[in-house]
Amino acid sequence: MQEKRLFRILYYLLDKGHATAPELAEKFEVSVRTIYRDVDAISSAGIPIYVTTGRNGGIQFLDHYVLNKSFFSDREKFEIVSGLQSLSAVQYPEIDTVLKKLGAIFQIGLTDWIDVDFSRWGSAAESENRLFRHLKQAILENREITFDYHNSTSDSGRRNVYPYKLVYKDTAWYLYAFCLSRNENRLFRLSRIKNLLLTEVHFERKTGADQYHSVFPMPEEIGTLIELELEFTLDVGYRLFDTLDDTAITKHESGYTVKLTLPENNWLYDFLMSFGDKVTIIRPKSIRQTLQAKHAAARAHHKGE
């Protein structure tokens, strides 16, 4: 327990610069005498924090002090700073200040190695970034949100949800949340969320209830799972690797063979139709027939125009 508190004191001083003993005592719910004993223990470990008296006195690090290399390994220091940089990339509140202090203490140059742009190509970047900021606020503050949602089955309407986390899966962002109208956890594709509002209602997270699993069904688009075997021409290989798992793709001399299991839904047909004559349906026959009917309907539609 004491060891954990010593680390917390160090990070508190790192963030605040200095603190008084009564302030630390209140923060960590111990006596002032215990705080002074902790300061002695930290100093004995070779980390020079010291106490000054007077009006502006307090507990702080020795100026320009760099933590002894034995305190963290080089790899640990690198992982700490890298992890904080990833938070900085998604505009996590006040993380830049902590990053600068850690960089100085660890004597690590801060390489700008990651940047996250939440907007899609050709979209209104500020509008989409605002959506991410509002969702982040709602998730961190456990606030119920309400929004208009447009799903692939045309079952559109207003949704009230408890937001748990953002999930990036299969080239798209989703909100994992508890849907109050359906009384179950759901995935909502962010590009289909419109007119989002944060309510003043706060919810309590139930232990384990907000855990996302990658096998969670596709959002609002669940269909019967079918085994597919497809043939693609060589020139569309890049699209296959953009969308599908590598293990499903086999390259041969004339193109690619793809074998995988997917739900039969609108997404599947839109995906296959987007390849035009670059794809051949080997099996099942029913998918080939449905796809031929959709192509015929599309041609008839354009002829009518």
Side-chain angles (χ1 to χ4, degrees):
M1 183 67 180
Q2 183 198 22
E3 182 179 349
K4 182 178 179 181
R5 187 173 64 249
L6 297 184
F7 275 98
R8 293 174 64 194
I9 290 173
L10 285 173
Y11 287 121
Y12 188 83
L13 293 176
L14 174 66
D15 184 45
K16 300 295 183 180
H18 76 281
T20 64
E23 177 185 350
L24 292 174
E26 181 179 358
K27 171 73 177 175
F28 300 112
E29 299 179 346
V30 294
S31 67
V32 171
R33 178 174 294 183
T34 297
I35 290 297
Y36 282 126
R37 283 201 297 266
D38 289 343
V39 170
D40 288 339
I42 294 171
S43 297
S44 299
I47 301 173
I49 61 172
Y50 64 98
V51 180
T52 57
T53 57
R55 182 176 179 182
N56 296 318
I59 303 167
Q60 62 191 68
F61 284 102
L62 184 68
D63 289 344
H64 309 300
Y65 171 66
V66 176
L67 285 176
N68 189 289
K69 288 185 178 180
S70 63
F71 193 73
F72 291 110
S73 69
D74 288 342
R75 182 174 182 81
E76 287 172 329
K77 289 186 286 186
F78 174 78
E79 289 177 349
I80 289 170
V81 173
S82 296
L84 290 174
Q85 282 181 313
S86 66
L87 292 177
S88 176
V90 294
Q91 303 171 2
Y92 194 85
E94 301 177 356
I95 205 66
D96 286 339
T97 301
V98 178
L99 258 178
K100 290 177 182 177
K101 290 179 179 179
L102 271 177
I105 287 179
F106 289 162
Q107 289 187 329
I108 290 178
L110 298 179
T111 302
D112 188 9
W113 69 279
I114 184 172
D115 202 356
V116 177
D117 183 354
F118 292 123
S119 62
R120 293 168 291 169
W121 295 107
S123 66
E126 177 53 33
S127 175
E128 293 200 352
N129 287 330
R130 189 186 311 118
L131 173 63
F132 273 87
R133 290 197 299 271
H134 287 167
L135 287 172
K136 179 177 70 175
Q137 180 182 355
I139 292 168
L140 294 177
E141 296 178 2
N142 291 343
R143 288 171 64 175
E144 179 184 331
I145 58 175
T146 177
F147 52 81
D148 293 322
Y149 192 69
H150 306 269
N151 67 15
S152 64
T153 60
S154 301
D155 180 21
S156 304
R158 198 72 181 168
R159 307 295 171 86
N160 283 66
V161 308
Y162 296 157
Y164 290 148
K165 63 184 64 179
L166 293 178
V167 177
Y168 186 80
K169 184 173 179 61
D170 192 24
T171 73
W173 283 98
Y174 297 88
L175 171 68
Y176 183 58
F178 180 79
C179 182
L180 295 174
S181 62
R182 297 181 182 273
N183 197 35
E184 64 181 354
N185 292 345
R186 307 287 293 185
L187 279 176
F188 298 93
R189 187 167 176 140
L190 260 60
S191 59
R192 299 173 186 164
I193 292 177
K194 310 296 178 185
N195 305 317
L196 182 141
L197 293 174
L198 279 72
T199 74
E200 294 305 317
V201 177
H202 292 262
F203 65 92
E204 182 179 351
R205 288 175 180 260
K206 297 179 181 179
T207 303
D210 60 351
Q211 294 303 306
Y212 166 78
H213 301 286
S214 60
V215 296
F216 195 88
M218 294 178 70
E220 310 246 354
E221 300 174 353
I222 304 171
T224 302
L225 290 175
I226 55 173
E227 293 185 4
L228 291 160
E229 183 175 350
L230 314 166
E231 290 287 339
F232 293 87
T233 57
L234 283 171
D235 55 334
V236 295
Y238 70 97
R239 288 190 57 196
L240 301 179
F241 288 108
D242 279 347
T243 310
L244 306 176
D245 189 274
D246 293 1
T247 59
I249 305 169
T250 302
K251 185 178 180 181
H252 48 79
E253 187 175 336
S254 58
Y256 297 90
T257 298
V258 171
K259 295 181 179 180
L260 76 171
T261 301
L262 286 174
E264 182 180 359
N265 52 36
N266 289 334
W267 179 91
L268 175 62
Y269 287 113
D270 289 345
F271 174 70
L272 294 175
M273 289 182 71
S274 71
F275 286 93
D277 61 355
K278 308 291 185 181
V279 59
T280 301
I281 314 298
I282 306 301
R283 64 182 176 93
K285 183 179 179 181
S286 60
I287 297 296
R288 183 167 67 247
Q289 293 171 335
T290 302
L291 204 61
Q292 289 170 344
K294 286 180 176 290
H295 278 298
R299 287 194 299 271
H301 175 76
H302 290 297
K303 277 184 180 180
E305 293 179 348

